[in-house]
Amino acid sequence: MTTTLRLAALCFAFTFTVLPSHAQTGDAEYKPELFQDLKLVYSDNFDGPLNTEFWEVRQSTTWAVKDGVLTGSPSSKEFQDKKKASADPSHAGLKPVIWLKKVPENFVCAMRVRYDATTYQKGFPLFDLGHHIHTLSFSEKATTLAIKKNLEILPVTEPLFALNQWHDVVIELKKGTLLLKIDGKKHVFESRNIDMAGQAQIDFKAVDGGSCQIDSVRVWEGK
């Protein structure tokens, strides 16, 4: 084969090499509904150690990255027994808890996540958007948004979050509006009480004795 033909073959092979999906599309692929533009703040496929600049493990629960998945389990029995005997038994780490920090006031979060358990628990599993500010809790028949605990309770019949299976979840939030999308199905919550001002985190809380798994997450600031 001549040098010219070799170069042509190499160029052809390079042109048609199949790239990983994230390399093909990039973070710009997501088109928000509540914002005109997005600025990427954080992206993680958990290919390395836990980024503690953005994640904070709570209640001495056990979290580890393995094979591209961040997995959370309950705290040790010793810690649980000590907490149960203290003045703060509600934070004994019976369920995995972790915080995603540095979340903008107006944000989009797209993630692939699952909660494993034998059954739902009253009020769990959940995502807290802001600490106890906008609580999205899941059951077999409903998804409920509780704003500032009991200030406002907004239950809907879908989208639902099933246990023991992976879900693609997107959350968009700006003052007055929260969009939740699970596996393409969505609901838009509207309330004057929806407001992330002064908040900067998303809390993940599983079921007692269960686990939480996250294999990708992206957070943008909405504009």
Side-chain angles (χ1 to χ4, degrees):
M1 183 182 291
T2 67
T3 301
T4 302
L5 286 174
R6 288 194 187 97
L7 288 173
L10 286 172
C11 289
F12 181 86
F14 178 81
T15 302
F16 289 94
T17 298
V18 177
L19 298 174
S21 59
H22 66 272
Q24 288 176 317
T25 56
D27 290 316
E29 69 178 58
Y30 182 75
K31 302 301 181 184
E33 296 188 35
L34 302 186
F35 304 102
Q36 295 296 316
D37 195 16
L38 297 178
K39 176 184 177 183
L40 185 66
V41 173
Y42 175 61
S43 179
D44 204 333
N45 290 322
F46 304 107
D47 297 323
L50 184 64
N51 187 338
T52 54
E53 183 180 349
F54 283 90
W55 294 96
E56 182 176 336
V57 174
R58 302 295 297 177
Q59 300 180 27
S60 288
T61 53
T62 303
W63 292 81
V65 176
K66 183 179 180 181
D67 299 327
V69 178
L70 172 62
T71 300
S73 303
S75 63
S76 67
K77 186 178 184 303
E78 291 75 16
F79 179 83
Q80 292 178 13
D81 291 344
K82 181 179 179 180
K83 271 292 186 180
K84 287 176 182 178
S86 74
D88 187 26
S90 63
H91 292 88
L94 302 180
K95 57 177 64 67
V97 181
I98 197 168
W99 292 354
L100 175 59
K101 304 182 291 182
K102 299 189 176 183
V103 176
E105 182 175 324
N106 300 299
F107 74 87
V108 174
C109 178
M111 53 190 170
R112 191 164 184 262
V113 61
R114 66 183 285 165
Y115 284 114
D116 285 4
T118 55
T119 187
Y120 295 93
Q121 184 179 354
K122 185 178 180 180
F124 298 94
L126 63 76
F127 303 125
D128 255 343
L129 316 176
H131 193 54
H132 300 308
I133 303 300
H134 318 89
T135 301
L136 286 165
S137 61
F138 306 105
S139 70
E140 187 175 6
K141 296 181 179 180
T143 293
T144 302
L145 173 63
I147 303 176
K148 296 180 180 178
K149 294 188 175 180
N150 296 318
L151 178 63
E152 193 171 355
I153 307 295
L154 303 173
V156 295
T157 55
E158 58 179 28
L160 297 176
F161 190 105
L163 297 175
N164 308 314
Q165 66 184 61
W166 287 102
H167 296 285
D168 292 309
V169 178
V170 177
I171 299 169
E172 300 189 27
L173 189 149
K174 67 177 183 180
K175 185 175 176 61
T177 308
L178 190 163
L179 180 150
L180 171 66
K181 188 183 297 183
I182 301 175
D183 300 330
K185 293 184 178 181
K186 70 178 181 180
H187 182 82
V188 178
F189 298 92
E190 294 183 314
S191 169
R192 61 185 179 85
N193 294 311
I194 295 172
D195 189 354
M196 279 284 281
Q199 304 297 314
Q201 66 187 68
I202 296 174
D203 302 356
F204 297 76
K205 299 180 182 179
V207 173
D208 286 1
S211 70
C212 173
Q213 298 175 64
I214 311 167
D215 81 349
S216 66
V217 63
R218 288 177 291 171
V219 178
W220 298 267
E221 181 179 10
K223 297 181 180 181

